[in-house]
Amino acid sequence: MKGATILGKDRAPVLATQGLTRHFGGLTAVNDVSIELMMGTIHAVIGPNGAGKSTLMNLLSGDLFPSAGHIHLEGDAITHCTPPQRSLRGLGRSYQKTNVFLPLTVFENARLAAQSRAGSSLRFFRPVLHEATINERAQLAIDAAGLGARSDRVVATLSHGEQRQVEIAMALATAPRVLLLDEPLAGMGAEESSAIVQLLARLRESHAILLVEHDMDAVFSLADTLTVMVNGTVLESGPPAFIRSSAAVQAAYLGGDENMHA
Amino acid sequence: MPPSHSAPGRTAARVMLQIALLLALACLPWFAEKYYVQFVARILIMGILAMSLDLLLGYTGLVSFGHAAFYGVAAYSLAMLTPAYQAAWFWTSFPLAVLGAAAAGLAIGFFVVRTHGIYFIMVTLAFAQMLFFLFHDTRIAGGNDGIYIDVRPDTTILGWKPFDLERYDQVYLLVLVLFALVWMFLRILLRSRFGHVLVGIRVNEHRMRSLGFETFRYKLACFTIAAALAGIAGYLSALQFGVVNPEFMGWHQSAAVMMMVILGGMGTLIGPVLGASAWMLLELGFQSLPVAGSIDLGKHWQLWMGAFIVLTALLLPSGLLGAWSALWRRLHHQTPALDADDPVAKP
């Protein structure tokens, strides 16, 4: 499906990397990774711990800069853009380790995210309370992430799974076109987890999603494309059925993993 | 905070209480002696300075150890704008002094807000000490001895004199009005988009950046605003004392304001004001301790002050205000919880 024109739609990748590489001293955490992310699809990156998935995420979001290689977002080179610049260009991200504003309420978390899309915040006099657009956008994101009933709770008092949902609400409130989700289901209960899976399936229509996730049921039910990483390199990339049957993947990673076949 | 949180009745009561307090303070010159009126003016000036530092310290999480620099720049501005044996004009010298402090804040902030944590503390201190020695070791403005303001600024506009700054009671009222304005300004500022960004930066700057906020810009704006407000305090101080010396911008002064903020309670507006009041009252109290036998207790007031600070830090880690809220909750049998009503109350 890559690069082809399907149904007359432009199938140029929204996010693409070429030869992305990152060294930490003598260790090559990400080695010559080229991936493409299409609008309206979910591209999952899987691999054992230490495969370089999180480093890849950090390179894409700008938290780390690559040692070599290029990143393009909607055709523009963003390799040297800072995280705020990438965010404003439509790249939203959630973190593996919950990275939110713990002393603030769910609503305030989402509102800060929404505020970033409402022009400059060098505005000193009008109370945020009266900024209808920002507040509405925050509330929509909270409802979408399934936290409607938790809006006024201080995030520090929420369960781990709910804090993960706050991550997603914040990413959504920035109205991104590309979503980088780093293990969004980690630590969630079955119910919360299936709600998020349904949410991601809905979000797929209008977003390009790069998903790093260990829950193989979720990955195989959601992903249009899978990339398997081992030791910083791409082992195999393709549709789920192809990955499932790949001998290389079986040998290197999925062989002993019973979850894979569930 | 969504509207559901703040009970309108309570807010109204709070505003009424604040207005009543201000009016009561405004009446002070009619029944207190000069010494006490000037003493309260000093508390209010330190209150402005402490609030301005708290904008950095308590709200944005920028631990500035050189805040007195901007206080001193404005004080020296007034001294240098005052011609010998003549008066400066209030309506130009005041804005120029505040602008001078803001400009110094912008210039120093441009370098320091790029640093974090302990480095931020170090470079703010270093810049302030550079300014201190600039005034201490050169003859720019009287050097080590400082510079006198012989005549207080004149406020005449087209032959009409709205207030007379040679009169201590009118200086006091000017200080009170500016104190109230700074308070109101900060209240409004902290509820705006900008104020929420500052709190976001304190809580999690990394996340703010990944949400698309160029935090450098906001920290620099905050540093500049705090410097300008410190400048208001500096101008008023110079005006009241009639003399400015390098001690205005020394690290002792920076440390004293920081202790006032911490003593009162960071991340609130009332905290720093409480801290400034407590600090000044304690200083006065300890200095007037009697001679006991062969030891002059009052002369060693800094020792008692130090002991008091140590005890407060150990016993009341969230300051006087934090202790008061805890007591209030206990009296009203409320469970201690994170204050959802005011996100900025918890640093």
Side-chain angles (χ1 to χ4, degrees):
Chain A
M1 58 194 281
K2 277 179 203 173
T5 302
I6 298 170
L7 303 171
K9 277 187 183 174
D10 180 15
R11 298 299 295 176
V14 190
L15 183 71
T17 72
Q18 294 92 36
L20 208 58
T21 300
R22 170 72 199 209
H23 307 291
F24 292 110
L27 173 80
T28 305
V30 168
N31 188 11
D32 194 21
V33 170
S34 301
I35 56 167
E36 289 185 335
L37 186 56
M38 303 293 175
M39 183 47 79
T41 64
I42 295 180
H43 186 146
V45 178
I46 60 173
N49 287 327
K53 306 184 298 292
S54 283
T55 305
L56 176 63
M57 279 290 194
N58 286 332
L59 292 172
L60 293 174
S61 67
D63 287 309
L64 288 174
F65 287 104
S67 311
H70 302 281
I71 309 168
H72 286 86
L73 180 64
E74 307 198 295
D76 300 327
I78 58 159
T79 317
H80 303 290
C81 289
T82 62
Q85 287 167 340
R86 294 183 198 201
S87 169
L88 292 175
R89 281 168 177 264
L91 201 68
R93 134 151 231 200
S94 81
Y95 285 83
Q96 179 189 0
K97 188 163 168 277
T98 304
N99 187 359
V100 293
F101 303 99
L102 288 174
L104 307 189
T105 65
V106 172
F107 187 77
E108 286 158 350
N109 271 266
R111 187 169 58 193
L112 272 175
Q115 196 179 315
S116 71
R117 301 303 120 142
S120 170
S121 280
L122 285 172
R123 298 199 186 171
F124 304 106
F125 298 107
R126 189 172 178 207
V128 176
L129 198 59
H130 299 159
E131 301 243 26
T133 332
I134 293 176
N135 291 307
E136 278 160 23
R137 180 177 271 176
Q139 195 60 56
L140 283 175
I142 290 170
D143 293 340
L147 281 169
R150 292 278 185 269
S151 209
D152 294 340
R153 285 280 295 276
V154 170
V155 175
T157 67
L158 297 180
S159 73
H160 179 72
E162 288 170 327
Q163 291 183 0
R164 307 293 305 163
Q165 286 170 272
V166 176
E167 278 275 349
I168 292 171
M170 285 171 77
L172 290 181
T174 63
R177 289 175 41 81
V178 178
L179 266 171
L180 308 174
L181 302 177
D182 200 349
E183 300 196 25
L185 305 178
M188 278 194 186
E191 206 170 307
E192 290 162 325
S193 179
S194 80
I196 294 298
V197 168
Q198 284 172 28
L199 170 66
L200 294 185
R202 280 201 307 279
L203 289 174
R204 176 197 342 233
E205 291 165 24
S206 49
H207 295 80
I209 300 176
L210 189 74
L211 176 69
V212 168
E213 185 50 60
H214 279 301
D215 179 339
M216 288 303 146
D217 292 342
V219 166
F220 277 90
S221 73
L222 282 170
D224 300 289
T225 310
L226 273 147
T227 293
V228 183
M229 283 180 73
V230 174
N231 293 328
T233 51
V234 173
L235 184 68
E236 202 81 86
S237 190
F242 169 72
I243 295 297
R244 219 185 265 273
S245 58
S246 158
V249 175
Q250 291 284 350
Y253 173 47
L254 296 168
D257 190 345
E258 287 304 312
N259 287 339
M260 166 69 190
H261 304 285
Chain B
M1 52 222 97
S4 56
H5 278 317
S6 51
R10 247 181 70 197
T11 312
R14 204 179 277 182
V15 170
M16 294 298 280
L17 183 70
Q18 283 167 10
I19 292 172
L21 264 172
L22 273 179
L23 288 176
L25 279 171
C27 296
L28 188 73
W30 279 274
F31 47 82
E33 285 170 47
K34 179 178 176 181
Y35 176 82
Y36 293 102
V37 173
Q38 289 188 326
F39 182 72
V40 177
R42 277 172 58 205
I43 290 183
L44 292 172
I45 292 169
M46 281 303 123
I48 295 174
L49 185 57
M51 282 193 284
S52 76
L53 177 61
D54 196 30
L55 185 64
L56 296 176
L57 198 66
Y59 287 97
T60 318
L62 295 171
V63 184
S64 172
F65 202 2
H67 203 54
F70 311 112
Y71 174 76
V73 163
Y76 269 107
S77 299
L78 172 60
M80 292 164 82
L81 286 167
T82 305
Y85 310 110
Q86 290 176 51
W89 197 40
F90 175 78
W91 305 105
T92 48
S93 63
F94 179 67
L96 279 175
V98 174
L99 270 177
L106 185 65
I108 292 177
F110 185 77
F111 297 101
V112 299
V113 302
R114 292 161 197 277
T115 63
H116 296 92
I118 195 88
Y119 300 101
F120 183 81
I121 301 176
M122 277 170 56
V123 289
T124 47
L125 175 63
F127 270 109
Q129 286 302 92
M130 278 163 63
L131 276 175
F132 172 84
F133 284 112
L134 179 69
F135 284 95
H136 188 272
D137 291 356
T138 66
R139 304 303 299 174
I140 298 178
N144 191 9
D145 301 328
I147 181 170
Y148 285 89
I149 298 162
D150 304 310
V151 189
R152 302 283 195 286
D154 178 29
T155 62
T156 312
I157 312 169
L158 301 170
W160 172 62
K161 199 172 196 175
F163 47 94
D164 181 359
L165 297 177
E166 288 296 340
R167 289 181 50 179
Y168 75 90
D169 54 340
Q170 304 213 351
V171 169
Y172 169 81
L173 289 175
L174 174 68
V175 170
L176 183 62
V177 167
L178 286 172
F179 173 85
L181 288 176
V182 168
W183 172 284
M184 271 164 50
F185 170 75
L186 284 173
R187 272 219 92 103
I188 292 168
L189 183 81
L190 290 165
R191 287 175 180 171
S192 72
R193 286 189 189 191
F194 182 70
H196 282 77
V197 168
L198 298 185
V199 173
I201 289 173
R202 184 196 71 220
V203 174
N204 191 343
E205 183 175 358
H206 172 240
R207 186 55 158 162
M208 287 301 279
R209 286 178 56 76
S210 85
L211 288 177
F213 292 100
E214 283 289 2
T215 52
F216 169 76
R217 202 175 288 176
Y218 297 101
K219 289 196 290 184
L220 182 56
C222 175
F223 200 81
T224 307
I225 292 170
L229 298 179
I232 295 178
Y235 182 93
L236 292 172
S237 228
L239 172 69
Q240 189 178 25
F241 292 130
V243 60
V244 183
N245 59 45
E247 291 303 322
F248 268 65
M249 43 178 67
W251 74 268
H252 279 106
Q253 182 65 60
S254 292
V257 197
M258 192 183 280
M259 299 231 235
M260 289 175 200
V261 174
I262 297 168
L263 178 64
M266 287 187 287
T268 62
L269 283 186
I270 189 73
V273 178
L274 276 179
S277 317
W279 179 276
M280 304 282 289
L281 286 167
L282 285 168
E283 197 179 273
L284 185 71
F286 289 137
Q287 277 172 352
S288 49
L289 284 174
V291 178
S294 58
I295 310 165
D296 184 351
L297 293 174
K299 193 181 156 201
H300 301 291
W301 64 274
Q302 280 161 316
L303 196 60
W304 318 129
M305 191 70 127
F308 180 81
I309 297 291
V310 170
L311 282 177
T312 320
L314 288 174
L315 301 176
L316 311 172
S318 43
L320 297 173
L321 193 67
W324 168 256
S325 330
L327 186 68
W328 179 269
R329 275 198 301 268
R330 183 175 286 189
L331 289 175
H332 290 75
H333 304 289
Q334 287 173 4
T335 46
L338 281 164
D339 191 359
D341 188 42
D342 189 0
V344 290
K346 296 281 163 182

